[in-house]
Amino acid sequence: MIQKQPLTTNGYYQERYRPHIHFTPEQMWMNDPNGLVYFEGEYHLFYQYHPDSKKWGPMHWGHAVSKDMIAWEHLRVALYPDDLGMIFSGSAVVDHKDTSGFFDGKPGLVAVFTHADGDLQRQSIAYSKDRGRTWVKYEDNPVIPNPGIKDFRDPKVCWHEDTEKWVMVLAAGRKVQFYTSPDLKQWTYVSEFGEGWGEQKGVWECPDLFPLTNEISGEKKWVMPIGIDAGAPAGGSGTQYFIGSFDGKHFVPHQPKDSVRWLDYGKDFYASQSFSDVPGRRVVLAWMSNWQYANDVPTDPWRSAMTIPRELTLTRVEGQELLIQKPVAELTNLIEKRMEKDPSLLKEKQSIELDQPASPFLWELDVEMEKDGAFEARLFGKQDRGLRVGIDREKNVIYVQRDGTDLDFSSEYACTCQAPLSGDLSSFHLKLVCDHSSVEIFLGDGEISMTNLYLPIADHEAKLKVEAVRGTLEVKRSSVFEMRSIWKPNA
Ligand code: FRU
């Protein structure tokens, strides 16, 4: 374990904007989650890491482990750049049957990643025989040479039961390619998908591929989230997904070519990856930033956080198949104090104020709105500044408005993002996960999520506020749960 040093006079993980229920490195730059895998009672989180700077640079894999995906213990850097280049994004799997021959017949961990040398990107592997504590790079790397494609990276590997082969999906320009392997060492190209499909405004990055059973129809489907580095609905980088079938070689989408589904409608949800080998559920987490300003977010001595891990399920709403996201149940173990507000009826333009809870906190809000009504909830801000989330039934949208900070670090920071509502509901349930510098919003059962950084202005005496913007609003429930920090000083 790394010896934890107090990083500032404020104490360990107590700096301004430091998340208390989200993963952040102790210091320096982080981007994508990598190698998410569950093995022998531990969840592993590797991440794109630059240990020498708060800006992106020569990429390493940082490493942390957790028993519950919520509280993390920092470990040593797992993979360093070498003669083949920097260590870009990738995944990890448990090689249960020792198909690779690395583990003397026992199960072990294999990491699959991109070696990036200038513009040359190739896929390589490494293995660990000691529960991820030390890693050996395979002597015959790279295992997939570059086929003449500039953007050729971010391999995600899974075991395909029916064909009894490893399957890799990786980003190749504005599409993905599939490879298969019997042993994680020899890979055969089998197909590609994506030319002209979905959102094409940016380069595709960090694809994922996993089966989920539709909880309504009982059908097994394959879900493929894919990042795009530009052109997301909130601007900049974002994550789309496809649902389809996959026979171990070919992905067939079950949607029209030009339709686009978004995993999250906020500004700060990118490079999502699901954990491999978690029994009975599919959990993703993402990098909570946006390439538009990631290198400039004014935090110190670290830069960037991961989202809360989210459990995914597949369902059908209004005739459309879609993914549902919920913060993992383990998060509620952090709850320390519950604050309820009596139900209230607000006439148009009326509002109620609640004391601002200490961050981090969860806020559950149930409202009933008139046809064509609109409501807005404000967090952290004062008067007309802050972070607002609203539902407008006339426009049929849920939106988040993020006002500027006192630190003017990017013209892309102040923004409004929105998601279309489906159906004609009058009751809405919102769950907001609020930390010192982010707000993750889940609508209904989690059919829409919106993830945004939010850097509160220092001297605001903030209150939570709910306002009937148009029409009468019934606030049926407001429950706030204060939570304890996952970071313990020098524990
Ligand atoms: C996505 C990404 C990946 C790449 C990594 C480099 O954020 O651009 O495509 O592997 O970051 O750090």
Side-chain angles (χ1 to χ4, degrees):
M1 195 177 80
I2 291 174
Q3 190 57 42
K4 289 175 184 155
Q5 302 291 338
L7 296 166
T8 69
T9 49
N10 293 337
Y12 188 68
Y13 275 70
Q14 294 296 319
E15 306 89 349
R16 188 178 181 196
Y17 304 135
R18 180 69 101 163
H20 282 197
I21 56 174
H22 291 85
F23 179 82
T24 52
E26 285 184 325
Q27 46 193 325
M28 303 303 171
W29 167 269
M30 173 179 82
N31 55 296
D32 315 352
N34 295 151
L36 301 180
V37 64
Y38 180 73
F39 183 53
E40 296 188 348
E42 290 178 322
Y43 295 91
H44 291 260
L45 162 59
F46 301 86
Y47 51 90
Q48 288 287 278
Y49 187 45
H50 187 191
D52 303 316
S53 165
K54 280 197 326 180
K55 298 229 184 240
W56 188 89
M59 283 291 110
H60 300 53
W61 274 27
H63 189 195
V65 287
S66 170
K67 296 256 185 276
D68 61 2
M69 289 180 275
I70 299 291
W72 296 94
E73 178 190 338
H74 296 294
L75 297 179
R76 283 175 213 288
V77 167
L79 297 172
Y80 287 79
D82 56 40
D83 292 350
L84 294 174
M86 306 184 199
I87 315 296
F88 271 18
S89 286
S91 52
V93 288
V94 180
D95 184 8
H96 289 280
K97 298 178 188 162
D98 191 21
T99 60
S100 59
F102 292 142
F103 306 111
D104 312 313
K106 297 195 245 351
L109 287 176
V110 178
V112 188
F113 57 90
T114 301
H115 258 128
D117 184 9
D119 272 348
L120 179 60
Q121 301 184 347
R122 299 174 286 188
Q123 318 317 320
S124 290
I125 60 175
Y127 58 93
S128 169
K129 292 181 165 188
D130 57 359
R131 298 164 62 240
R133 271 39 182 195
T134 58
W135 290 84
V136 179
K137 291 186 187 123
Y138 178 49
E139 59 198 12
D140 284 337
N141 279 337
V143 292
I144 303 184
N146 189 291
I149 301 172
K150 178 168 169 280
D151 295 298
F152 182 66
R153 59 178 178 267
D154 308 340
K156 178 73 164 83
V157 171
C158 67
W159 176 253
H160 191 258
E161 291 287 348
D162 297 349
T163 54
E164 300 210 319
K165 282 211 166 92
W166 296 102
V167 170
M168 178 195 292
V169 56
L170 86 172
R174 283 164 208 240
K175 53 193 176 188
V176 292
Q177 291 192 339
F178 299 97
Y179 289 73
T180 62
S181 170
D183 58 4
L184 295 160
K185 296 171 179 165
Q186 301 161 55
W187 291 92
T188 309
Y189 168 86
V190 287
S191 72
E192 63 176 39
F193 164 77
E195 192 156 355
W197 283 85
E199 185 55 75
Q200 290 279 331
K201 285 195 202 95
V203 167
W204 289 14
E205 297 183 316
C206 302
D208 199 348
L209 180 70
F210 49 84
L212 271 186
T213 301
N214 185 307
E215 58 186 19
I216 309 273
S217 67
E219 271 177 289
K220 178 170 157 183
K221 295 286 176 78
W222 286 78
V223 180
M224 190 160 59
I226 297 174
I228 52 163
D229 71 344
S237 36
T239 309
Q240 61 177 331
Y241 69 92
F242 297 89
I243 299 172
S245 53
F246 182 70
D247 62 2
K249 286 189 173 171
H250 301 96
F251 180 81
V252 179
H254 297 173
Q255 68 195 65
K257 199 165 183 179
D258 56 357
S259 82
V260 188
R261 300 158 196 260
W262 297 101
L263 202 49
D264 191 282
Y265 286 86
K267 190 95 183 178
D268 301 294
F269 181 97
Y270 196 55
S272 73
Q273 187 177 106
S274 67
F275 281 89
S276 183
D277 294 280
V278 178
R281 57 182 175 160
R282 185 58 58 173
V283 177
V284 293
L285 59 79
W287 176 44
M288 202 155 44
S289 196
N290 189 310
W291 278 117
Q292 283 181 333
Y293 47 63
N295 272 288
D296 303 310
V297 178
T299 55
D300 190 54
W302 82 101
R303 194 170 268 140
S304 294
M306 297 302 178
T307 63
I308 291 294
R310 302 164 182 195
E311 183 170 345
L312 294 184
T313 48
L314 189 61
T315 193
R316 191 169 279 283
V317 175
E318 303 275 324
Q320 221 216 358
E321 199 156 40
L322 88 170
L323 281 180
I324 298 284
Q325 290 181 61
K326 286 187 174 46
V328 292
E330 287 89 335
L331 184 64
T332 56
N333 295 337
L334 299 176
I335 291 175
E336 294 217 300
K337 184 171 154 195
R338 179 186 180 129
M339 296 179 279
E340 295 286 335
K341 181 88 183 162
D342 289 338
S344 51
L345 196 64
L346 303 178
K347 295 206 192 84
E348 182 161 311
K349 303 288 177 230
Q350 278 186 338
S351 59
I352 45 164
E353 289 198 339
L354 291 76
D355 286 338
Q356 179 82 27
S359 292
F361 64 93
L362 278 179
W363 188 16
E364 302 227 21
L365 191 62
D366 283 302
V367 294
E368 173 92 33
M369 296 163 71
E370 283 182 17
K371 190 168 168 43
D372 298 334
F375 102 98
E376 203 167 78
R378 196 188 63 201
L379 299 100
F380 300 112
K382 196 173 164 187
Q383 283 147 17
D384 57 345
R385 300 277 296 272
L387 181 118
R388 283 174 262 180
V389 46
I391 291 178
D392 188 326
R393 289 194 63 201
E394 196 177 80
K395 297 190 182 132
N396 218 27
V397 292
I398 174 169
Y399 63 89
V400 174
Q401 184 178 328
R402 179 169 73 179
D403 296 319
T405 60
D406 47 347
L407 301 153
D408 207 4
F409 68 94
S410 165
S411 59
E412 305 291 348
Y413 176 78
C415 64
T416 304
C417 47
Q418 64 176 47
L421 299 175
S422 60
D424 190 24
L425 297 174
S426 59
S427 295
F428 297 92
H429 174 68
L430 288 164
K431 179 181 275 188
L432 298 95
V433 181
C434 307
D435 205 340
H436 287 258
S437 48
S438 61
V439 177
E440 291 160 272
I441 298 164
F442 301 87
L443 178 69
D445 284 334
E447 49 266 25
I448 290 178
S449 79
M450 301 178 89
T451 301
N452 288 287
L453 294 180
Y454 183 66
L455 309 173
I457 292 180
D459 56 357
H460 266 185
E461 325 148 5
K463 294 204 184 278
L464 298 182
K465 183 176 165 186
V466 181
E467 185 183 348
V469 175
R470 195 183 324 111
T472 305
L473 179 77
E474 198 185 333
V475 181
K476 297 202 288 200
R477 172 186 175 206
S478 164
S479 311
V480 173
F481 305 89
E482 285 186 348
M483 308 181 90
R484 67 172 170 276
S485 175
I486 57 173
W487 301 107
K488 298 200 180 55
N490 300 319

